[in-house]
Amino acid sequence: MRFSQLYAPTVREAPAEAEVVSHQLLLKAGFVRKTAGGIYTYLPLAWRVLRKIEQIVREEMDAKGGQEIAMPIVQPAEIWQESGRWEVYGDEMFRLRDRHSRSFCLGPTHEEIVTTLVKGDVRSYRQLPLLLYQIQNKYRDEIRPRFGLLRGREFIMKDLYSFDRDQAGLEASYRKMYDAYSRIFARCGLKFRPVEADSGAIGGSGSHEFMALANSGEAEIVYCESCDFAANIEKAELNPIAAREEETCAPEKVSTPNAATIKAVCAYLAVPVEKSVKAVGYKSDKGVVLAFVRGDHEVNAVKVLNTAGALTLSMAGEDELRAAGTEPGYMGLLPGKKNVTLVVDHSVMNMRNFVCGADVLGYHYVNVNPGRDFTPDFTADIRMIQETDPCPRCGGRLTKAKGIEVGQVFKLHTKYSEKLAANYLDENGKERPLVMGCYGIGVSRVMAAVIEQSSDDAGIIWPAAIAPYHVAVVPVNAKNAEQMKIAEEIYETLTAVGIETVLDDRAERAGVKFNDADLIGYPLRVTVGAKTAANRELEIKIRASGEVVFAPDGSWQEKIRELLAAL
Ligand code: ATP
Ligand code: MG
């Protein structure tokens, strides 16, 4: 490709709204243009990168026995109503009506469609396992589309669905996908970590997320320095903390004026914070939920949602809390509230003689004891893990990191097959539900994640495997016919042997061309200057290291291949 013909409109400044480096560089280097909030047009350079990522994904899916299909983006409401997710998906789902007023959505994911498809065609255990996948646009009306391609409202996803006879089959399919994902992200040049994950709205139980490590990541993970424990902090399990046994005293309501925080209450009562319990008030589809943890701990809302068996959970307003018979800032555990679900952290159940709110303004109880003074609706691990906690597996030291979720794998079990009656006949002619898994990769998010990990002040640094082009050939002096001729020859030769090359044939100053080459991020730049012809050797600059190597005439094709293989 000749740069003069390439639709790669590079610009000096990215718009101020571009907060993260991938968003800035994709705009500056002429890879994408914004069409609407969270909706982008991919220009030729981006499209080449995306197709390469897709190709890697295809090869690894096919290697595990995956078969590629293409399902519709427009999906009828009925199948979502059948699975019970039409309501659950809420505002994140783009909904539309046809001319007959029938409801449809733009697919945010495809469990319903694929299960309905397979249900019509798969009858016997002999047809299993079955692994079906597609790569296409997904639509989610994200509450906060941002960071360019990292969180779009239209984005490219690979989604694979596995159908097995039983749990053992699901475990095998899950393992295959887990391994394929590890290979895919490694081939894309990402530094990543698989972590234990919550299953969220997709459902089922048993899930891992693949996190590309980056400070701009919206997800937080913890991992152990001694064992292989690694989890999203939303999911990271915690063991109950034992507390010292002591004689229980009688509960007593005490005045705690002007003490707005748990710290202030404890200071006022001269009690250590570890002997206090605090609460967070939520509203949910199950009504008001009060979640209690030790005063120096934090509540993990995802765990509360799962424990309460709720579908939605958000902060309750002051009026909602008062209507439930409690008081914001003074929420307590003793009886007297109306229609509330009490979810109590398992470590609280080991505490003795603690302080908690009295459900009225300005008062707390002291000497509260589990069992005797209150009975929770649910007792579970609902706490947010902290870096100071010991590893829940081995007691080792934990480290926190930020990550971009580039993929997630789920064991769905029979969640969808039971709802949608997708069954098969086993060897004995007995009808059984299909055992399913689902596995997603954010292809467009992967492209952005690579840039988050691999760039410098000058621009993007593409790993060779997914670079839009491998080599830029840059003649230093466009007015010099000899240089231009040599540059042409090099370009023609490289292109002919399948090395993807751009010839910067513009009548620009060398500095401008060098800057663009660095911005776009080709792994290699061949500089054609006055000495190139005289010395009969090629000057090759490696984008990642800045190193310049020289290859003598006759050997430079091999040299370029060798360099690319290492990038
Ligand atoms: P997130 O927690 O980041 O919103 P998710 O858990 O909702 O993502 P999944 O349903 O697991 O996403 O989708 C599979 C993959 O699709 C994700 O791992 C991610 O790489 C990608 N993805 C999800 N939402 C978006 C988005 N809004 N923009 C770009 N990629 C996305
Ligand atoms: Mg996910």
Side-chain angles (χ1 to χ4, degrees), residues 98 114 134 138 152 173 177 218 231 242 299 350 363 399 422 439 441 445 511 549 565:
D98 70 6
V114 77
Q134 59 174 355
K138 291 280 184 282
S173 294
M177 285 301 120
E218 292 184 275
V299 174
N350 292 340
Y363 285 90
T399 302
Y439 316 84
I441 290 183
R445 188 182 277 185
V549 295

Side-chain angles (χ1 to χ4, degrees), residues 140 197-200 202 207-209 211 405-410 440 445:
R140 295 184 186 177
D198 183 68
S199 326
I202 303 274
S207 179
H208 286 86
E209 287 162 333
M211 293 290 185
E405 181 199 319
V406 283
Q408 187 166 10
V409 292
F410 301 84
R445 188 182 277 185

